[in-house]
Amino acid sequence: MKKPMIGVLPLYDSNKNSYWMLPDYMKAIEGAGGIPIMLPLTTNLEIITTLANEFDGFLFTGGHDLNPELYHENVEDTCGELCIERDMMESLLFQKVIDLDKPAFGICRGLQLFNVILGGSLYQDIPTQFTVSNTVNHKQTPPYTNLVHDVHIEKNNLLHDIVRADTIKVNSYHHQGIKMLSDKLIAVAIAEDGLVESVIMPNHKFVLAVQWHPEYSYTVDEYSQKLFSAFVSSSASIGYEINVDEITA
């Protein structure tokens, strides 16, 4: 079978005015059988449309906070660094990917992006705005291969089909999270404090996002490996249906 080409959304360093990439994203995709390629950072609609048509799947990476104006809020002092160009590009690309029903996998910021673009909102800063969260460590210190808290997996959905578990332990490094869930998404994993940790978009082949960082833990955690395997497999052919036996082999 031809290896699927996976477009990986670029990271941006404003101090160096440079695009960059964590090798863990690339290695996790390559290890799952895909060919990862970092995309350009652009708001050119013609280029974005070409990218959406040419690549087989798309990984929406972590990084900057989303501009709160996208969910009709003012920017609070506790909000982190923004990258307006990333917001614009990823919003346009995500809509194209959805229209084409191509696989989209979101990690951390990727989950937040899916929710915001589809009409949801975020806690701009969990420690100050989500006061329920005093027992769950959402922003751990290195090494990020350590798994620090549990998430409960809902049954009868894409995520549960992939991991085949009701509860898994995950790593965690974020200060924002879903406040109001988009009505176009379904929450499929919840932290012990009630924060949404994973979402899917129903009636699409593969639109899945997680708040944790499987790119850091895939070398030591079978569930992280399964996520990348399912994503790459879904990108391998049109109409692919997840073969759980292949994922768990």
Side-chain angles (χ1 to χ4, degrees), residues 3-236:
K3 290 181 179 291
M5 305 284 283
I6 306 297
V8 183
L9 275 296
L11 308 176
Y12 178 71
D13 186 328
S14 58
N15 292 324
K16 297 180 179 179
N17 190 28
S18 64
Y19 309 153
W20 66 285
M21 181 53 58
L22 286 168
D24 300 284
Y25 290 124
M26 314 296 270
K27 290 179 179 178
I29 290 170
E30 187 176 353
I35 301 175
I37 299 176
M38 188 177 82
L39 302 180
L41 182 58
T42 178
T43 57
N44 183 299
L45 185 57
E46 182 179 359
I47 294 175
I48 290 172
T49 300
T50 300
L51 294 172
N53 282 308
E54 292 299 321
F55 283 84
D56 300 305
F58 297 85
L59 176 63
F60 289 80
T61 53
H64 294 83
D65 288 353
L66 287 159
N67 187 349
E69 293 181 3
L70 293 172
Y71 47 96
H72 312 294
E73 289 189 10
N74 296 322
V75 180
E76 302 288 345
D77 292 338
T78 51
C79 188
E81 182 181 3
L82 308 178
C83 182
I84 305 304
E85 193 172 10
R86 275 197 75 179
D87 292 347
M88 292 177 63
M89 176 188 176
E90 293 176 8
S91 300
L92 293 168
L93 180 61
F94 181 67
Q95 294 288 0
K96 294 288 185 184
V97 170
I98 293 303
D99 290 344
L100 293 168
D101 197 20
K102 290 193 173 182
F105 184 26
I107 293 176
C108 197
R109 169 189 161 94
L111 171 137
Q112 297 161 13
L113 175 88
F114 292 6
N115 186 58
V116 167
I117 297 309
L118 294 173
S121 66
L122 303 177
Y123 293 107
Q124 292 188 42
D125 183 60
I126 289 171
T128 57
Q129 295 182 338
F130 186 61
T131 55
V132 174
S133 185
N134 54 13
T135 58
V136 175
N137 182 7
H138 287 292
K139 197 168 186 180
Q140 72 186 84
T141 55
Y144 300 122
T145 51
N146 289 346
L147 307 177
V148 296
H149 73 78
D150 290 341
V151 295
H152 170 74
I153 311 296
E154 302 293 334
K155 291 183 172 63
N156 301 316
N157 62 74
L158 175 62
L159 179 61
H160 195 275
D161 290 345
I162 293 169
V163 301
R164 282 185 167 181
D166 297 336
T167 302
I168 64 173
K169 190 171 285 292
V170 301
N171 56 12
S172 192
Y173 187 73
H174 61 107
H175 85 110
Q176 296 197 320
I178 290 178
K179 179 165 64 175
M180 183 184 74
L181 181 67
S182 163
D183 61 8
K184 296 180 176 63
L185 297 173
I186 296 175
V188 293
I190 308 292
E192 294 167 304
D193 58 7
L195 197 70
V196 174
E197 291 276 341
S198 180
V199 298
I200 61 168
M201 191 174 186
N203 304 317
H204 286 267
K205 181 170 63 173
F206 190 105
V207 179
L208 169 68
V210 298
Q211 186 61 76
W212 61 93
H213 287 272
E215 78 278 12
Y216 286 129
S217 54
Y218 80 98
T219 58
V220 298
D221 175 54
E222 64 171 317
Y223 299 120
S224 300
Q225 295 167 5
K226 289 178 178 180
L227 287 170
F228 280 102
S229 293
F231 167 54
V232 171
S233 294
S234 72
S235 305

